[in-house]
Amino acid sequence: MPTDPSAEQVEDLRLLVFDQLATLGRVETAEQLASTLHLTASQTAAGLRALHASRDLVLDDADHIVLAHPFATVDFGFSVMGRATIWWGGCAWDAFAIPHLVPAEPETLVATRCPRCRTPHAWNVTRVAPPTGDQVVHFATPMARVWQDVVHACRRQRIFCDDACLDAYLVDHYPDEPGFRFDVPTLWRLAGHWYEGRLDRGYQRREPAAAASYFASVGLTGPFWDTTAPKAAP
């Protein structure tokens, strides 16, 4: 049997990973994935690395899946509770995207804590209308730099109680990186269609120009959202 998986086998692997995360909130081990798809261990490992290279998922140094946006396999500060499944959201953006992406879960409870004062916050997130809330969403890493270290960037997409909590947090943690702040309804609009089609065969990520157009359509413009540099958004 060939060592390297075919393009079709890599796509089968991608679909299996995303199906498991969408329906179960977790993903099987590489050995279990290989067994399900009738692949060798080396084919599965090569397939996962190919998906990492194409930015369909993110592996850690041990080749374990950490992120398959919008799903995470570890705690990034956001839990997403549906009727039958509980997920980790990879960031504020991803957590709000899950109910838009998973058809069986039209309503979820997204929960987090303010990174500054640890006050808990929760929102009922649906596909119908943005949730209420006057909290402040903050993204620290400009879109063009996200994939230089996507795990680091995702951990810095958080929600704060208000501007005062965010301002104090910035002074303590990264005073020279103001990032970009916006409101919860804008976050909901950003998340709404960003991952559309990701659970389907043949999904293609947006090119930088299309990403910038999408950001503008939800009211997010300016240098922070410029994706024309080589390192673009997830």
Side-chain angles (χ1 to χ4, degrees):
M1 184 176 291
T3 300
D4 293 331
S6 67
E8 182 177 3
Q9 288 172 323
V10 172
E11 178 65 356
D12 289 342
L13 179 59
R14 186 191 73 83
L15 287 170
L16 179 58
V17 167
F18 274 89
D19 179 69
Q20 290 184 353
L21 286 168
T23 58
L24 304 175
R26 57 180 175 81
V27 65
E28 294 177 330
T29 65
E31 292 78 10
Q32 291 170 317
L33 293 172
S35 177
T36 298
L37 295 174
H38 305 291
L39 299 174
T40 65
S42 60
Q43 284 178 315
T44 304
L48 291 173
R49 289 193 294 269
L51 292 169
H52 176 86
S54 62
R55 299 178 182 172
D56 287 291
L57 50 80
V58 180
L59 303 178
D60 62 17
D61 292 339
D63 284 347
H64 296 144
I65 298 170
V66 177
L67 287 164
H69 297 287
F71 309 107
T73 64
V74 297
D75 182 7
F76 277 79
F78 290 88
S79 63
V80 183
M81 184 174 68
R83 177 184 56 82
T85 308
I86 298 177
W87 300 270
W88 292 123
C91 57
W93 185 352
D94 286 350
F96 272 57
I98 288 174
H100 291 279
L101 182 64
V102 180
E105 296 284 4
E107 180 176 351
T108 64
L109 182 69
V110 174
T112 190
R113 290 182 182 273
C114 173
R116 169 62 178 177
C117 70
R118 307 305 296 165
T119 296
H121 297 281
W123 305 265
N124 288 312
V125 181
T126 73
R127 295 191 285 271
V128 177
T132 59
D134 54 6
Q135 296 88 353
V136 177
V137 183
H138 180 258
F139 286 11
T141 304
M143 289 298 104
R145 288 171 33 208
V146 164
W147 278 91
Q148 293 175 8
D149 186 339
V150 67
V151 171
H152 178 68
C154 287
R155 291 196 184 280
R156 291 164 23 122
Q157 295 181 355
R158 304 298 300 274
I159 304 179
F160 293 78
C161 295
D162 49 30
D163 284 314
C165 269
L166 173 54
D167 289 340
Y169 188 85
L170 292 178
V171 169
D172 291 341
H173 291 82
Y174 25 92
D176 298 325
E177 295 183 87
F180 195 96
R181 63 183 74 190
F182 52 102
D183 59 21
V184 169
T186 301
L187 175 65
W188 182 84
R189 291 193 296 273
L190 171 64
H193 297 285
W194 180 252
Y195 294 115
E196 200 166 61
R198 180 151 281 193
L199 303 183
D200 302 332
R201 183 172 293 276
Y203 171 81
Q204 296 291 321
R205 295 173 61 255
R206 286 181 179 84
E207 294 300 322
S213 176
Y214 179 87
F215 295 149
S217 75
V218 300
L220 297 169
T221 60
F224 185 91
W225 299 94
D226 180 8
T227 59
T228 58
K231 304 296 185 180

